[in-house]
Amino acid sequence: MAKWKLYWVESDGYEDCFVVAKNSRSAKSVEVNLNGFDISDVRAVRVMDIPDILEEKADKKFREWSKTHAPQQANRPDLHQWPWYAEEWLLEDLGVQFRIVDDEEQKLLRDVVYARKATGEWYTYCIGARALVERNERLPQYDNYDNEPKINIAEQLYTAIGLALTQCHEIEFLFSKSFVFAISEKQQKKYETFNDFFKGWDKKTLGGLFSAMQEAFDIETEVKMALDLFLNMRNKLVHGITTTQRYNIDTDWGQRELLAFLDLFLSLCVPIKAIAESCIDVSIEIANIYLVKENADKIPLKSSDKLLSLFTNCFELKKQDLAE
């Protein structure tokens, strides 16, 4: 079992750093003793074990440094580097990757990004395997940390891309065919028949669809925020996200960032698709009641009170349309 461990020590958000220690209390003590924090204000998160061979390398480097900067201790037989802050050579040996994105200094280790803003404040977020959650069981799970050899995540990534694009297509189809939004006065002025409406809405972008929906209906605030987020993420996905620096599909880091993005997007697709299904459900109900002749076959529909309730909770016909 490894004697030393790497910790991420958090304090005021500006002095956060990697520390090598044997336990979390020792890791916190390094920061407390050097920067004067109260022990209760410091948190140490274990990142990984450090191979014993790197302790020898650290002590050798420290002894060489001491010969120049602290000769009085250079020949001490009990001279050791740790516990102390993790130097860059150690982080590199442990597999840390470094980059700068949007003026942020970033370090990646075991699918956790340690990012420092231009203001100097640190924050962390998860990508790759650590970002995958139980709600997206369709995405292949994997362990890419202690189980060697290191695996290629292409299978997981391409599966997620395919699922995300499929969800985009299905959601946009449902919204584009939801002629419940044609009943407003503004939409009726634009289209004389339902066929005209379908032709017009088939030409709209998803953003155009959402704008037209807002012409006719007041949309519940949280639903509006979810729709806006979905639109923003959808646009990033279909308009070249894989070529951006953060999500560059040609790099290992970019692939892991993209997998986390897709995981979040697929989670968002679940409620958005339910809302879209409620719109088409209500549209077909309207057709069966008002458009289909009395003796004609009704449009087949697996209607549910749940979907009807969802629609009425999300959308309310604007007052001017009700008055007219």
Side-chain angles (χ1 to χ4, degrees), residues 246-299:
R246 182 179 294 274
Y247 302 103
N248 186 348
I249 201 170
D250 293 324
T251 67
D252 179 75
W253 191 335
Q255 290 175 6
R256 296 173 191 281
E257 290 270 11
L258 182 55
L259 192 59
F261 174 92
L262 293 168
D263 176 69
L264 176 60
F265 180 72
L266 286 168
S267 301
L268 179 60
C269 283
V270 175
I272 297 299
K273 188 174 181 180
I275 291 170
E277 288 174 340
S278 76
C279 295
I280 197 72
D281 193 272
V282 171
S283 298
I284 294 176
E285 283 282 13
I286 292 173
N288 283 335
I289 295 172
Y290 298 106
L291 303 180
V292 179
K293 294 181 180 180
E294 185 175 348
N295 296 326
D297 292 335
K298 301 294 184 181
I299 301 172

Side-chain angles (χ1 to χ4, degrees), residues 4 18 32 47 63 98-99 124 167 176 200 210 232-233 270 282 302 304 312:
W4 296 99
F18 286 109
V32 168
V47 178
R63 193 172 298 279
F98 303 84
R99 74 178 186 184
T124 63
Q167 291 298 300
S176 69
F210 286 174
N232 179 268
M233 295 186 75
V270 175
V282 171
K302 294 181 180 179
S304 70
T312 56

